[in-house]
Amino acid sequence: MPDLGLEVLLKGQNMVRLLEGLWIALRISLTAVVISIPAGILLGAMMTRKNRVVRAVLRLYLEIIRIMPQMVLLFIVFFGTTRAFGWDLSGETASILVFSLWGTAEMSDLVRGALISIPVHQYESGEALGLRRVQVYRYIIIPQTFRRLVPLSINLITRMIKTTSLILMIGVVEVLKVAQQIIEANRMASPNAAFGVYLAVFLLYFIACWPISMFAKYLEKRWR
Amino acid sequence: MTETLLKIEHLVKKFDDNLILDDINLEVKKGEVIVVIGPSGCGKSTLLRCINALEPIQGGTISLDGEPIDDKSRSLSVLREKIGMVFQSYELFPHLSVLNNVMLAPLKVQKRKKEEVKEEALTLLERVGLKEKAGSFPRQLSGGQKQRVAIVRALCMHPELLLFDEVTAALDPEMVREVLDVILKLAAQGRTMIIVTHEMQFAQAVADRILFLDGGSIIESAPPEEFFEHPKTDRAKQFLNTFTFEAVKTPHKTIKEEED
Ligand SMILES: Nc1ncnc2c1ncn2[C@@H]1O[C@H](COP(=O)(O)OP(=O)(O)OP(=O)(O)O)[C@@H](O)[C@H]1O
Ligand SMILES: [Mg+2]
């Protein structure tokens, strides 16, 4: 049997360190998710308003965030702000900021899409029954929007978790960085550690994301 | 003397600069069934939508029970409770079961008791043959079943006036009948209704009065026998002709004759 370098994982605190790295990745992405979802809902709802200026500004924001690679955003926020404004952001704060900007933009587009996909007849049927505007939203539009939104936003959440693998570039010691450190430290003793350690990283991401996407699938099936 | 339920005076409706309804005057008595017919695009749907203020109007007045209807009125919701409307395409709420579709407005708008509403909803569903579908979702129903649920949903609000806008137009032919039968029953109960339809035989059977609408105006208003047998205007005659087919096979050309 080839040496897969698995024994490195059992050495000392290595597994615990990997788990701590995963926790940092999750803490950053989930904090950003908690900020992005309400902010995205707000902006998404504003994007369906008639006001042209508001719509144009939001559109611009969305496009800029989309076009820019997340890595570039991270560099601008982490290194750029230090130079330009003299801010001394920690890597973690910069990451949360970038992920929130990105998540908010993506979420707002999902919300906008879900809102405009509700046919105008749904509003009219509600109003024709005597429901007031607020009630139409509360009992008819929001529940339907929500159903369309949940699977999509869960998808976004898993994307955000996976993208935290970039933040090692601004010095945050998350799971991937820990893996590199472990491999580096054991270069002499176990030259094959790379396989085992990255396999562990793969499994950790999988364990973090898989239940979330299964949950999305389940909801999708239930609501159709 | 029966009282007037709905009164429309000098109604004008424009979309931008297009005049869609031009000086419409109409009085509907309690218990009367009015059928509105006319060519596509003549403003039938718009007329119904103006009546329950889904469309703002540019002139004239519409009043129900003497109370003016306009889209800015604060009692609009109260007025709409009195007007039930069913549209051409299925407008059930897809995230609610049949029963909850029916119960939503009575519970939230009229704040009635849940037990009482549920009982009534089930009775009404039973009357249209859909009691066993109470727990189903709209996507599990056929087009005809959905329209019957939509009618029940309107009825459960105890409306004084029912508006039907081509409720069978989107249905397969074999489902048209089941929906029209429900409406015929409502007519027999003495409900006040304004019905837009392209089903001429049904119109003849259900109507107390036919309104023929063309170019945004009421061209004729007459009892069905009179309208269908002796239309007064050329436009009405032309319109009615579009529903009859001339035989295209002349006798000596039929297969039977050729075989002989
Ligand atoms: N929201 C709108 N904006 C602009 N024009 C409209 C709008 N709704 C309807 N119209 C126009 O108003 C006219 C009347 O439309 P309406 O839907 O009332 O016709 P209809 O008699 O119901 O026709 P059909 O038999 O095809 O349903 C049409 O010329 C239509 O193009
Ligand atoms: Mg129409």
Side-chain angles (χ1 to χ4, degrees), chain A residues 121-122 124-132 135 139-140 143-144 147 222-224, chain B residues 49 52 77 80 83 87 89 91-95 104-105 108-109 111 139 153 157:
Chain A
H121 275 142
Q122 289 288 318
E124 290 186 344
S125 296
E127 280 175 41
L129 282 166
L131 293 167
R132 279 174 291 112
Q135 292 179 315
Y139 298 113
I140 300 168
Q144 289 183 56
R147 270 148 216 256
R222 219 184 101 186
W223 289 338
R224 236 174 311 174
Chain B
R49 292 166 58 84
N52 73 351
S77 168
R80 280 189 179 140
I83 306 177
F87 302 80
S89 41
E91 316 302 354
L92 297 181
F93 306 127
H95 61 297
L104 178 67
K108 303 303 175 192
V109 178
K111 316 266 186 234
R139 64 179 131 79
R153 186 174 68 178
M157 292 292 284

Side-chain angles (χ1 to χ4, degrees), chain B residues 15 20 38-47 55 88 165-166 198:
Chain B
F15 282 115
I20 306 294
S40 180
C42 69
K44 304 180 295 292
S45 301
T46 308
L47 176 62
E55 295 286 350
Q88 168 174 344
D165 190 3
E166 298 196 41
H198 282 299

